[in-house]
Amino acid sequence: MTDSRIATARLGATGPEVGVQGLGCMGMSFGYGPSDADASRATLERALELGVTLYDTADAYGAGENERFLSPFFKAHRDEIVIATKFALAIPPDDPTRRVIRNDEPYIRQAVEASLRRLDVDVIDLYYMHRRDVNIPIEETVAVMADLVREGKVKHLGLSEVTGAELRAAQSVHPIAAVQSEWSLFSRDIEANVVPTARELGVALVPYSPLGRGFLTGSFTNAEDLTTDDFRRQQPRFTGENATTNAALLSPIRKVAEAHGSTPGQIALAWVQQQAALHGLPVIPIPGTRKPTRVEENTGATRISLTEEQLTLLNPIAAQVAGDRYADMRFASAGRE
C-alpha cells in the first residue's frame, strides 16, 4: 500500500484544480445493493488522504439520500474538495421507481435549491445537467444554469451524456467545465465527436463507469450473481449470452495486468487515465467504490503507464462488446451522435 497522493489537473479551461481521479459516490446510497455506512465514510476519508478531491453525486441517487449522506463529510472538508451534483432525472411522486428527464427552468430552480439544502452548503462547485431533454433547446437550459452561476448558487457548469453538437451549442451560452459520459474499455462511442469537441473547447472529460460498472474488474461475470436490488441486473451487457460474450473479452486485460503485477481493474482505469495524453485534454475518471482498499487500488492505477503494444492489445475490446449500456437508451447519448 502506498500513501502517495495522486497528481492534479484542471477541470477544463474554466474549472478548478482537482485530483486526476475522482470518486463516484452513488453506490454508497443507491444502485449497487446493500451498503455499509461506516465503510463508505472511511472510503471518503481515505480518498481525500490519497489526493482525490472531486466527489460526484446527484439528486436522483436514492432520491436525495446520497446528497444527505455525503453532507457531513463535505462540511468537514469544505475547503479541500470539489462537490459535483446533478439535476434532470425527476422522480414522479406517484412512482418512485421511474425517472423523467426535465430540463425546464422551474424544475432546475427547484432542484438546485433542494440539493443545496440536502448538501447543507452555500454553493455547488460543479452542477451538471444529468440528462438531456431533447424537447427543450440546450441553449435554454444552459441559460438557466448560467443564471445560477450569476446568483452565486453554482460555481461551474457541467453536462452529462451529450453529443458533440450539444456541447458546442451549450458552450456558446456559458463556459462548460466538464462533460460526464461513460468511457471505458467497454464504451468508446464518445471518442468520435464528444472528445474532439471537448478538446477544441477546453472542456474536461469526466468518465463515469470507467470500470464497466465493476465488470472489467472480474468481480462478477453475470448479473444473476448480484443481489436482487442491484440495478446492474437490468443492464443488457451483464445478462444472458451478452454476459458470457463480454466476460471472454477480459482475457487481454488480465494478460496486461499480469505484466504489470496489478489487478485487471487497475489496467482498465489506467487505460482511461491514459486517454488524457492520447487525446490532449483533461480526463478525470470517477470510479465508484465503498471500500478504502478499493480507493487505494484505484488511485494506484494513476501511476501505471501502458505501452503501445499493450494499448494495441486492449483497444479492440470495445468493438466486440455485446449489449447496450442501458435497457432504455433514451437515457444516453448513443444514437444521437
Side-chain angles (χ1 to χ4, degrees):
M1 183 180 75
T2 177
D3 285 322
S4 299
R5 290 175 65 86
I6 60 176
T8 62
R10 185 161 297 283
L11 201 61
T14 62
E17 194 86 5
V18 296
V20 293
Q21 187 179 112
L23 181 64
C25 300
M26 179 182 81
M28 296 179 179
S29 308
F30 166 78
Y32 289 91
S35 179
D36 182 304
D38 290 337
S40 292
R41 282 189 281 267
T43 300
L44 294 167
E45 296 287 351
R46 185 64 179 134
L48 186 58
E49 290 173 354
L50 292 169
V52 174
T53 55
L54 176 63
Y55 293 82
D56 185 88
T57 182
D59 59 1
Y61 299 162
E65 284 305 312
N66 196 233
E67 290 179 326
R68 293 188 188 95
F69 173 77
L70 295 168
S71 176
F73 171 76
F74 288 166
K75 290 185 68 177
H77 301 285
R78 188 66 187 95
D79 296 334
E80 305 170 77
I81 63 171
V82 171
I83 299 172
T85 192
K86 315 176 193 74
F87 74 89
L89 293 180
I91 303 173
D94 60 338
D95 186 356
T97 65
R98 287 183 61 225
R99 298 292 185 272
V100 178
I101 300 174
R102 289 188 61 180
N103 291 174
D104 56 284
E105 180 171 3
Y107 179 75
I108 295 171
R109 291 194 168 277
Q110 170 191 325
V112 73
E113 296 295 344
S115 285
L116 287 167
R117 286 194 302 272
R118 286 189 293 263
L119 294 166
D120 196 14
V121 295
D122 296 326
V123 61
I124 293 165
D125 299 315
L126 177 59
Y127 200 42
Y128 285 104
M129 180 190 75
H130 204 164
R131 290 294 186 271
R132 163 98 163 93
D133 180 352
V134 296
N135 298 309
I136 296 178
I138 196 167
E139 295 91 340
E140 292 183 13
T141 299
V142 175
V144 178
M145 297 170 70
D147 285 342
L148 301 181
V149 176
R150 285 186 282 271
E151 293 164 13
K153 296 173 182 177
V154 170
K155 289 184 180 179
H156 306 283
L157 303 185
L159 305 171
S160 181
E161 289 282 348
V162 294
T163 67
E166 289 167 344
L167 171 57
R168 192 178 299 281
Q171 181 82 359
S172 71
V173 177
H174 188 278
I176 302 298
V179 168
Q180 184 175 136
S181 284
E182 188 165 355
W183 196 7
S184 73
L185 282 169
F186 266 20
S187 300
R188 298 182 57 185
D189 59 306
I190 66 168
E191 294 173 29
N193 294 308
V194 179
V195 171
T197 303
R199 179 180 62 241
E200 176 191 338
L201 299 177
V203 178
L205 253 295
V206 178
Y208 74 83
S209 297
L211 293 170
R213 302 194 185 278
F215 197 86
L216 289 166
T217 69
S219 60
F220 75 101
T221 57
N222 192 295
E224 293 180 0
D225 301 335
L226 306 171
T227 57
T228 56
D229 55 348
D230 193 310
F231 89 116
R232 290 173 291 182
R233 292 176 68 96
Q234 305 166 20
Q235 293 187 298
R237 288 185 172 176
F238 310 136
T239 58
E241 292 183 5
N242 288 345
T244 302
T245 297
N246 295 335
L249 299 177
L250 303 186
S251 178
I253 302 174
R254 294 192 186 97
K255 181 178 179 179
V256 175
E258 185 176 350
H260 282 272
S262 66
T263 66
Q266 286 180 312
I267 296 305
L269 271 176
W271 182 89
V272 176
Q273 300 278 177
Q274 208 154 324
Q275 301 309 302
L278 293 173
H279 290 278
L281 79 170
V283 177
I284 317 292
I286 49 168
T289 185
R290 301 173 289 192
K291 297 178 180 179
T293 54
R294 289 295 190 195
V295 167
E296 293 163 3
E297 177 183 334
N298 291 347
T299 54
T302 67
R303 292 179 283 275
I304 295 174
S305 180
L306 303 175
T307 67
E308 288 293 331
E309 182 181 2
Q310 290 167 343
L311 290 170
T312 299
L313 187 64
L314 297 172
N315 284 340
I317 292 174
Q320 303 172 66
V321 173
D324 285 333
R325 295 191 288 128
Y326 293 96
D328 185 347
M329 288 300 289
R330 291 177 300 172
F331 288 91
S333 64
R336 300 206 320 267
E337 287 285 13

